[in-house]
Amino acid sequence: MSRVIVLMNLGSPDSTEVKDVRRYLNEFLMDERVIDIPFLVRKLLVGGIIVPFRAPKSAEAYRSIWTKEGSPLIVLTKQLLTAVQSKLQDPVRIVMRYGNPSTPSVLKEIHHTYPDLKEIVLVPLYPHYAMSSYETAVVQFEELHKKAGYSSTVKTIKPYYDHPAYIKALADSIKPYLNKEFDKLVLSYHGIPERHVKKSDCTGTHCLKVNDCCNVPSAAHKVCYRHQTFVTTDLVQEALGLPKEKVEQTFQSRLGRDPWLQPYTAARLAELPKEGVKRIAIACPAFVSDCLETLEEIAEEGKHIFLEAGGEEFTMIPCLNTDEQWVNTIATWVEEISAGQTEMLLA
C-alpha cells in the first residue's frame, strides 16, 4: 500500500466521567496554541482554576448529548470514515488532536500495517485556519510524524473555507431547512480571542488594525480566521440566493474575560427577538461534525436563550456530518491529489 488517507478531527473525552473529562480538558487547554500564555502560568491557570471548576460542568453537558455508541463527534467521524472509505481504494483512518485515537497511535498503526507506505494525505476537518484548530492539529501531526522518523511523506489539505465544492455542499445541506418562513439565517462560528487573530497576522500591521481589515486585501488573510469566516458566510449567502439582511454571522464558545471575536452568539440570540426576529434557522459552519458546541451549546442552550427572550421558532441545522455531497467532496479531493491536481488543495 503506497498511500493512506487520515481524517483529523478535534476529539472528545473517552466518557462522561469527570475524570475522563478532566483528562481531556487538561490536554486541550494545555495546548500552547489554545491558551497562548507562558507554560507555568498556563499550568497554574488550567490545572488550578479552569479544569477543577469546568470538568464537572462539562461532564454534565457531555451527558446531555452522549449516545449509546459514545461521543457524537467520535461516532460521526467514524461514520464519515466508513462513507469516505466506500468511495476510495486507499485505506482511510481517523485521528483526534486531543484524546483517542491519538496521533502517535494512528501513525504507529498505519506504518506497522503498511511498512512500505509512501504517502499520507491528511484531511483536517477544519474548514478555516486558526492557530487553536487547524494549525495546532496540522503542526502536531507533522511534528510527530517527523520525530518518529517515518519514511512516508505527509500531504496536507489546506483550509477549504472558500473551495467551491465545500461551499456547495454546505449551502445545499442548509437549503432544505429554509423551506418554510424564517426571519433570519444565523451562521454561528466557533469564536477565538482577538489576540489570536493579531498573533497570526504575518504582516503584523493588518488584522484588527486596519479599518474594515477583512475586506482590505492582505497576505494576512491566508491565515486569518476572522476573514475566512466572513468569506464563507458571503459565499453561502450567495449560493442560497438570500439577501444580506436575511443572514447574520456570530461567534460562540467564548472562554475567559479577554475580548473574543464578536458579535457573541448567545448575546445575539437574546437580542434578536427584541428586534422582531422571531423565527431563525441556525448553522455552525466552523464544524463539519456535530459535537458539544453544536448539540449542547447551540441546539439546547442557544434554543433556550432565544425562546426565553421571546423567539417563536428555532431551527437547528445539522453539520455536514456524513452528507453524501460532503463525502463525495472529500473523496474527489483525494483523487485530485492522486492525479497531481493540487493547486487548490494542498497547504
Side-chain angles (χ1 to χ4, degrees):
M1 180 57 60
S2 62
R3 186 172 62 165
V4 170
I5 316 306
V6 176
L7 310 177
M8 189 168 196
N9 216 334
L10 175 72
S12 177
D14 291 332
S15 78
T16 60
E17 295 295 321
V18 173
K19 62 180 178 61
D20 286 334
V21 175
R22 184 184 299 117
R23 185 184 307 114
Y24 174 79
L25 289 177
N26 267 307
E27 182 183 2
F28 173 50
L29 297 175
M30 280 304 296
D31 183 345
E32 64 182 356
R33 287 180 170 83
V34 174
I35 298 183
D36 54 327
I37 58 178
F39 174 79
L40 289 178
V41 180
R42 184 168 71 252
K43 190 171 182 60
L44 287 170
L45 178 66
V46 172
I49 300 175
I50 299 178
V51 171
F53 288 95
R54 192 178 179 91
K57 294 180 180 179
S58 292
E60 183 178 349
Y62 275 111
R63 281 193 288 272
S64 74
I65 65 163
W66 214 254
T67 70
K68 291 187 298 182
E69 295 79 16
S71 160
L73 181 139
I74 302 295
V75 171
L76 288 165
T77 309
K78 287 179 178 177
Q79 291 174 355
L80 180 62
L81 179 156
T82 301
V84 172
Q85 184 68 83
S86 71
K87 308 287 183 180
L88 299 171
Q89 292 185 340
D90 295 318
V92 183
R93 298 290 191 274
I94 64 170
V95 65
M96 299 295 151
R97 172 59 182 88
Y98 313 103
N100 296 301
S102 68
T103 299
S105 67
V106 171
L107 282 170
K108 183 177 181 180
E109 184 271 323
I110 59 178
H111 287 91
H112 175 77
T113 305
Y114 308 108
D116 297 324
L117 182 66
K118 297 291 189 298
E119 179 180 285
I120 297 170
V121 177
L122 180 63
V123 184
L125 296 177
Y126 305 96
H128 310 84
Y129 192 103
M131 59 184 284
S132 55
S133 57
Y134 180 95
E135 181 179 291
T136 187
V138 170
V139 168
Q140 186 224 33
F141 191 92
E142 293 179 346
E143 285 185 347
L144 289 175
H145 177 272
K146 181 179 180 180
K147 184 178 180 180
Y150 296 118
S151 59
S152 60
T153 60
V154 179
K155 290 183 176 178
T156 302
I157 289 183
K158 66 183 181 181
Y160 37 89
Y161 65 96
D162 62 347
H163 193 289
Y166 163 72
I167 294 298
K168 188 175 190 313
L170 180 59
D172 286 354
S173 74
I174 292 172
K175 191 178 298 182
Y177 294 88
L178 306 182
N179 59 5
K180 55 186 176 180
E181 287 296 320
F182 70 100
D183 297 322
K184 188 160 285 192
L185 169 65
V186 178
L187 299 182
S188 176
Y189 294 83
H190 198 291
I192 62 172
E194 289 184 357
R195 69 175 186 276
H196 282 199
V197 175
K198 296 175 182 176
K199 194 170 185 176
S200 296
D201 181 358
C202 59
T203 71
T205 59
H206 185 80
C207 294
L208 299 179
K209 295 178 180 179
V210 171
N211 186 43
D212 197 24
C213 56
C214 286
N215 290 313
V216 176
S218 172
H221 291 170
K222 184 178 180 180
V223 292
C224 179
Y225 179 77
R226 184 172 183 263
H227 164 78
Q228 293 179 7
T229 62
F230 286 140
V231 170
T232 297
T233 294
D234 288 345
L235 292 174
V236 168
Q237 174 248 315
E238 291 171 9
L240 291 171
L242 296 174
K244 284 187 176 293
E245 62 269 18
K246 282 281 239 183
V247 181
E248 178 166 341
Q249 175 171 331
T250 63
F251 296 95
Q252 64 184 85
S253 309
R254 183 186 181 194
L255 174 66
R257 297 181 180 179
D258 287 349
W260 280 43
L261 296 182
Q262 296 187 47
Y264 300 134
T265 300
R268 289 301 294 146
L269 290 178
E271 293 164 353
L272 284 171
K274 300 177 179 64
E275 299 170 6
V277 178
K278 301 291 188 176
R279 298 164 298 180
I280 66 168
I282 185 165
C284 302
F287 306 91
V288 299
S289 305
D290 276 306
C291 55
L292 185 72
E293 286 81 1
T294 65
L295 299 172
E296 193 273 338
E297 184 180 355
I298 300 300
E300 293 182 6
E301 184 179 343
K303 180 179 181 179
H304 176 76
I305 292 171
F306 182 71
L307 297 180
E308 281 291 302
E312 297 172 0
E313 193 166 331
F314 183 100
T315 301
M316 180 70 197
I317 302 172
C319 292
L320 286 168
N321 295 325
T322 56
D323 174 85
E324 185 175 4
Q325 192 172 171
W326 171 232
V327 171
N328 288 335
T329 293
I330 295 174
T332 298
W333 286 344
V334 172
E335 289 168 350
E336 288 176 358
I337 290 171
S338 178
Q341 301 170 14
T342 62
E343 184 177 351
M344 292 183 67
L345 294 171
L346 295 183

PDB file of all heavy atoms in Angstrom, residues 186-208:
ATOM      1  N   VAL A 186     -28.895  32.373  10.876  1.00  0.00           N
ATOM      2  CA  VAL A 186     -27.733  32.721  11.693  1.00  0.00           C
ATOM      3  C   VAL A 186     -26.633  31.697  11.448  1.00  0.00           C
ATOM      4  O   VAL A 186     -26.865  30.490  11.565  1.00  0.00           O
ATOM      5  CB  VAL A 186     -28.097  32.754  13.193  1.00  0.00           C
ATOM      6  CG1 VAL A 186     -26.853  33.068  14.032  1.00  0.00           C
ATOM      7  CG2 VAL A 186     -29.187  33.789  13.456  1.00  0.00           C
ATOM      8  N   LEU A 187     -25.449  32.173  11.106  1.00  0.00           N
ATOM      9  CA  LEU A 187     -24.282  31.303  10.950  1.00  0.00           C
ATOM     10  C   LEU A 187     -23.357  31.572  12.132  1.00  0.00           C
ATOM     11  O   LEU A 187     -22.754  32.642  12.237  1.00  0.00           O
ATOM     12  CB  LEU A 187     -23.577  31.576   9.623  1.00  0.00           C
ATOM     13  CG  LEU A 187     -24.416  31.327   8.364  1.00  0.00           C
ATOM     14  CD1 LEU A 187     -23.595  31.596   7.111  1.00  0.00           C
ATOM     15  CD2 LEU A 187     -24.971  29.906   8.345  1.00  0.00           C
ATOM     16  N   SER A 188     -23.301  30.604  13.042  1.00  0.00           N
ATOM     17  CA  SER A 188     -22.524  30.748  14.279  1.00  0.00           C
ATOM     18  C   SER A 188     -21.207  29.993  14.158  1.00  0.00           C
ATOM     19  O   SER A 188     -21.188  28.769  14.015  1.00  0.00           O
ATOM     20  CB  SER A 188     -23.329  30.207  15.465  1.00  0.00           C
ATOM     21  OG  SER A 188     -22.566  30.246  16.657  1.00  0.00           O
ATOM     22  N   TYR A 189     -20.112  30.725  14.211  1.00  0.00           N
ATOM     23  CA  TYR A 189     -18.773  30.139  14.105  1.00  0.00           C
ATOM     24  C   TYR A 189     -18.142  30.050  15.495  1.00  0.00           C
ATOM     25  O   TYR A 189     -18.426  30.872  16.364  1.00  0.00           O
ATOM     26  CB  TYR A 189     -17.880  31.004  13.217  1.00  0.00           C
ATOM     27  CG  TYR A 189     -18.312  31.058  11.772  1.00  0.00           C
ATOM     28  CD1 TYR A 189     -19.313  31.944  11.360  1.00  0.00           C
ATOM     29  CD2 TYR A 189     -17.727  30.237  10.811  1.00  0.00           C
ATOM     30  CE1 TYR A 189     -19.720  32.008  10.032  1.00  0.00           C
ATOM     31  CE2 TYR A 189     -18.124  30.291   9.478  1.00  0.00           C
ATOM     32  CZ  TYR A 189     -19.126  31.173   9.098  1.00  0.00           C
ATOM     33  OH  TYR A 189     -19.527  31.224   7.787  1.00  0.00           O
ATOM     34  N   HIS A 190     -17.253  29.069  15.659  1.00  0.00           N
ATOM     35  CA  HIS A 190     -16.520  28.997  16.928  1.00  0.00           C
ATOM     36  C   HIS A 190     -15.708  30.278  17.080  1.00  0.00           C
ATOM     37  O   HIS A 190     -15.044  30.723  16.150  1.00  0.00           O
ATOM     38  CB  HIS A 190     -15.595  27.787  16.953  1.00  0.00           C
ATOM     39  CG  HIS A 190     -15.146  27.418  18.334  1.00  0.00           C
ATOM     40  ND1 HIS A 190     -14.285  28.203  19.072  1.00  0.00           N
ATOM     41  CD2 HIS A 190     -15.462  26.365  19.120  1.00  0.00           C
ATOM     42  CE1 HIS A 190     -14.084  27.629  20.254  1.00  0.00           C
ATOM     43  NE2 HIS A 190     -14.791  26.519  20.320  1.00  0.00           N
ATOM     44  N   GLY A 191     -15.762  30.877  18.262  1.00  0.00           N
ATOM     45  CA  GLY A 191     -15.015  32.098  18.500  1.00  0.00           C
ATOM     46  C   GLY A 191     -13.558  31.832  18.832  1.00  0.00           C
ATOM     47  O   GLY A 191     -13.176  30.713  19.206  1.00  0.00           O
ATOM     48  N   ILE A 192     -12.730  32.840  18.679  1.00  0.00           N
ATOM     49  CA  ILE A 192     -11.340  32.807  19.131  1.00  0.00           C
ATOM     50  C   ILE A 192     -11.014  34.169  19.734  1.00  0.00           C
ATOM     51  O   ILE A 192     -11.664  35.169  19.412  1.00  0.00           O
ATOM     52  CB  ILE A 192     -10.341  32.475  18.004  1.00  0.00           C
ATOM     53  CG1 ILE A 192     -10.376  33.554  16.902  1.00  0.00           C
ATOM     54  CG2 ILE A 192     -10.607  31.102  17.414  1.00  0.00           C
ATOM     55  CD1 ILE A 192      -9.291  33.391  15.851  1.00  0.00           C
ATOM     56  N   PRO A 193     -10.008  34.232  20.611  1.00  0.00           N
ATOM     57  CA  PRO A 193      -9.635  35.540  21.172  1.00  0.00           C
ATOM     58  C   PRO A 193      -9.117  36.474  20.078  1.00  0.00           C
ATOM     59  O   PRO A 193      -8.476  36.030  19.113  1.00  0.00           O
ATOM     60  CB  PRO A 193      -8.517  35.185  22.165  1.00  0.00           C
ATOM     61  CG  PRO A 193      -8.673  33.732  22.446  1.00  0.00           C
ATOM     62  CD  PRO A 193      -9.208  33.134  21.181  1.00  0.00           C
ATOM     63  N   GLU A 194      -9.378  37.744  20.219  1.00  0.00           N
ATOM     64  CA  GLU A 194      -8.863  38.716  19.260  1.00  0.00           C
ATOM     65  C   GLU A 194      -7.339  38.660  19.187  1.00  0.00           C
ATOM     66  O   GLU A 194      -6.753  38.884  18.124  1.00  0.00           O
ATOM     67  CB  GLU A 194      -9.312  40.126  19.642  1.00  0.00           C
ATOM     68  CG  GLU A 194     -10.801  40.368  19.423  1.00  0.00           C
ATOM     69  CD  GLU A 194     -11.210  41.793  19.722  1.00  0.00           C
ATOM     70  OE1 GLU A 194     -10.329  42.588  20.158  1.00  0.00           O
ATOM     71  OE2 GLU A 194     -12.392  42.133  19.533  1.00  0.00           O
ATOM     72  N   ARG A 195      -6.690  38.320  20.301  1.00  0.00           N
ATOM     73  CA  ARG A 195      -5.231  38.279  20.288  1.00  0.00           C
ATOM     74  C   ARG A 195      -4.718  37.184  19.355  1.00  0.00           C
ATOM     75  O   ARG A 195      -3.622  37.296  18.803  1.00  0.00           O
ATOM     76  CB  ARG A 195      -4.684  38.078  21.708  1.00  0.00           C
ATOM     77  CG  ARG A 195      -4.940  36.717  22.316  1.00  0.00           C
ATOM     78  CD  ARG A 195      -4.256  36.556  23.675  1.00  0.00           C
ATOM     79  NE  ARG A 195      -4.411  35.187  24.177  1.00  0.00           N
ATOM     80  CZ  ARG A 195      -5.466  34.737  24.832  1.00  0.00           C
ATOM     81  NH1 ARG A 195      -6.479  35.578  25.087  1.00  0.00           N
ATOM     82  NH2 ARG A 195      -5.530  33.488  25.240  1.00  0.00           N
ATOM     83  N   HIS A 196      -5.492  36.113  19.162  1.00  0.00           N
ATOM     84  CA  HIS A 196      -5.083  35.063  18.229  1.00  0.00           C
ATOM     85  C   HIS A 196      -5.077  35.592  16.801  1.00  0.00           C
ATOM     86  O   HIS A 196      -4.206  35.238  15.999  1.00  0.00           O
ATOM     87  CB  HIS A 196      -6.034  33.869  18.322  1.00  0.00           C
ATOM     88  CG  HIS A 196      -5.785  32.988  19.498  1.00  0.00           C
ATOM     89  ND1 HIS A 196      -6.251  31.697  19.577  1.00  0.00           N
ATOM     90  CD2 HIS A 196      -5.128  33.211  20.660  1.00  0.00           C
ATOM     91  CE1 HIS A 196      -5.897  31.153  20.724  1.00  0.00           C
ATOM     92  NE2 HIS A 196      -5.220  32.070  21.410  1.00  0.00           N
ATOM     93  N   VAL A 197      -6.063  36.414  16.475  1.00  0.00           N
ATOM     94  CA  VAL A 197      -6.125  36.993  15.134  1.00  0.00           C
ATOM     95  C   VAL A 197      -4.894  37.869  14.903  1.00  0.00           C
ATOM     96  O   VAL A 197      -4.235  37.792  13.861  1.00  0.00           O
ATOM     97  CB  VAL A 197      -7.417  37.815  14.957  1.00  0.00           C
ATOM     98  CG1 VAL A 197      -7.415  38.523  13.605  1.00  0.00           C
ATOM     99  CG2 VAL A 197      -8.635  36.918  15.085  1.00  0.00           C
ATOM    100  N   LYS A 198      -4.571  38.708  15.874  1.00  0.00           N
ATOM    101  CA  LYS A 198      -3.413  39.591  15.746  1.00  0.00           C
ATOM    102  C   LYS A 198      -2.112  38.799  15.725  1.00  0.00           C
ATOM    103  O   LYS A 198      -1.187  39.117  14.968  1.00  0.00           O
ATOM    104  CB  LYS A 198      -3.396  40.594  16.907  1.00  0.00           C
ATOM    105  CG  LYS A 198      -4.583  41.552  16.910  1.00  0.00           C
ATOM    106  CD  LYS A 198      -4.581  42.428  18.155  1.00  0.00           C
ATOM    107  CE  LYS A 198      -5.795  43.348  18.200  1.00  0.00           C
ATOM    108  NZ  LYS A 198      -5.842  44.143  19.451  1.00  0.00           N
ATOM    109  N   LYS A 199      -2.038  37.760  16.539  1.00  0.00           N
ATOM    110  CA  LYS A 199      -0.822  36.957  16.626  1.00  0.00           C
ATOM    111  C   LYS A 199      -0.558  36.199  15.329  1.00  0.00           C
ATOM    112  O   LYS A 199       0.600  35.965  14.955  1.00  0.00           O
ATOM    113  CB  LYS A 199      -0.947  35.972  17.798  1.00  0.00           C
ATOM    114  CG  LYS A 199       0.350  35.307  18.212  1.00  0.00           C
ATOM    115  CD  LYS A 199       0.154  34.555  19.522  1.00  0.00           C
ATOM    116  CE  LYS A 199       1.461  33.985  20.030  1.00  0.00           C
ATOM    117  NZ  LYS A 199       1.296  33.341  21.361  1.00  0.00           N
ATOM    118  N   SER A 200      -1.614  35.795  14.636  1.00  0.00           N
ATOM    119  CA  SER A 200      -1.466  35.031  13.395  1.00  0.00           C
ATOM    120  C   SER A 200      -1.154  35.928  12.199  1.00  0.00           C
ATOM    121  O   SER A 200      -0.793  35.421  11.131  1.00  0.00           O
ATOM    122  CB  SER A 200      -2.751  34.244  13.112  1.00  0.00           C
ATOM    123  OG  SER A 200      -2.985  33.282  14.117  1.00  0.00           O
ATOM    124  N   ASP A 201      -1.295  37.229  12.353  1.00  0.00           N
ATOM    125  CA  ASP A 201      -1.093  38.172  11.252  1.00  0.00           C
ATOM    126  C   ASP A 201       0.385  38.211  10.851  1.00  0.00           C
ATOM    127  O   ASP A 201       1.218  38.738  11.590  1.00  0.00           O
ATOM    128  CB  ASP A 201      -1.576  39.559  11.682  1.00  0.00           C
ATOM    129  CG  ASP A 201      -1.424  40.608  10.585  1.00  0.00           C
ATOM    130  OD1 ASP A 201      -0.915  40.276   9.500  1.00  0.00           O
ATOM    131  OD2 ASP A 201      -1.820  41.766  10.833  1.00  0.00           O
ATOM    132  N   CYS A 202       0.694  37.656   9.683  1.00  0.00           N
ATOM    133  CA  CYS A 202       2.088  37.590   9.239  1.00  0.00           C
ATOM    134  C   CYS A 202       2.667  38.966   8.916  1.00  0.00           C
ATOM    135  O   CYS A 202       3.887  39.142   8.896  1.00  0.00           O
ATOM    136  CB  CYS A 202       2.213  36.676   8.025  1.00  0.00           C
ATOM    137  SG  CYS A 202       1.207  37.191   6.605  1.00  0.00           S
ATOM    138  N   THR A 203       1.795  39.946   8.683  1.00  0.00           N
ATOM    139  CA  THR A 203       2.290  41.301   8.389  1.00  0.00           C
ATOM    140  C   THR A 203       2.523  42.097   9.664  1.00  0.00           C
ATOM    141  O   THR A 203       3.331  43.025   9.689  1.00  0.00           O
ATOM    142  CB  THR A 203       1.288  42.077   7.507  1.00  0.00           C
ATOM    143  OG1 THR A 203       0.119  42.404   8.292  1.00  0.00           O
ATOM    144  CG2 THR A 203       0.871  41.266   6.301  1.00  0.00           C
ATOM    145  N   GLY A 204       1.796  41.740  10.719  1.00  0.00           N
ATOM    146  CA  GLY A 204       1.911  42.452  11.983  1.00  0.00           C
ATOM    147  C   GLY A 204       1.249  43.816  11.997  1.00  0.00           C
ATOM    148  O   GLY A 204       1.279  44.520  13.001  1.00  0.00           O
ATOM    149  N   THR A 205       0.646  44.194  10.860  1.00  0.00           N
ATOM    150  CA  THR A 205       0.093  45.547  10.755  1.00  0.00           C
ATOM    151  C   THR A 205      -1.328  45.583  10.217  1.00  0.00           C
ATOM    152  O   THR A 205      -1.877  46.668  10.021  1.00  0.00           O
ATOM    153  CB  THR A 205       0.970  46.408   9.819  1.00  0.00           C
ATOM    154  OG1 THR A 205       1.013  45.787   8.518  1.00  0.00           O
ATOM    155  CG2 THR A 205       2.385  46.537  10.359  1.00  0.00           C
ATOM    156  N   HIS A 206      -1.937  44.441   9.976  1.00  0.00           N
ATOM    157  CA  HIS A 206      -3.218  44.442   9.265  1.00  0.00           C
ATOM    158  C   HIS A 206      -4.409  44.057  10.141  1.00  0.00           C
ATOM    159  O   HIS A 206      -5.322  44.856  10.342  1.00  0.00           O
ATOM    160  CB  HIS A 206      -3.142  43.510   8.052  1.00  0.00           C
ATOM    161  CG  HIS A 206      -4.367  43.554   7.200  1.00  0.00           C
ATOM    162  ND1 HIS A 206      -4.592  44.563   6.280  1.00  0.00           N
ATOM    163  CD2 HIS A 206      -5.449  42.742   7.139  1.00  0.00           C
ATOM    164  CE1 HIS A 206      -5.749  44.368   5.684  1.00  0.00           C
ATOM    165  NE2 HIS A 206      -6.302  43.270   6.186  1.00  0.00           N
ATOM    166  N   CYS A 207      -4.429  42.829  10.648  1.00  0.00           N
ATOM    167  CA  CYS A 207      -5.618  42.283  11.294  1.00  0.00           C
ATOM    168  C   CYS A 207      -6.013  43.071  12.542  1.00  0.00           C
ATOM    169  O   CYS A 207      -5.200  43.260  13.457  1.00  0.00           O
ATOM    170  CB  CYS A 207      -5.387  40.819  11.660  1.00  0.00           C
ATOM    171  SG  CYS A 207      -5.199  39.743  10.218  1.00  0.00           S
ATOM    172  N   LEU A 208      -7.277  43.541  12.546  1.00  0.00           N
ATOM    173  CA  LEU A 208      -7.849  44.326  13.634  1.00  0.00           C
ATOM    174  C   LEU A 208      -7.087  45.624  13.874  1.00  0.00           C
ATOM    175  O   LEU A 208      -7.208  46.245  14.931  1.00  0.00           O
ATOM    176  CB  LEU A 208      -7.912  43.499  14.930  1.00  0.00           C
ATOM    177  CG  LEU A 208      -8.768  42.221  14.862  1.00  0.00           C
ATOM    178  CD1 LEU A 208      -8.723  41.477  16.192  1.00  0.00           C
ATOM    179  CD2 LEU A 208     -10.210  42.545  14.476  1.00  0.00           C
TER     180      LEU A 208
END
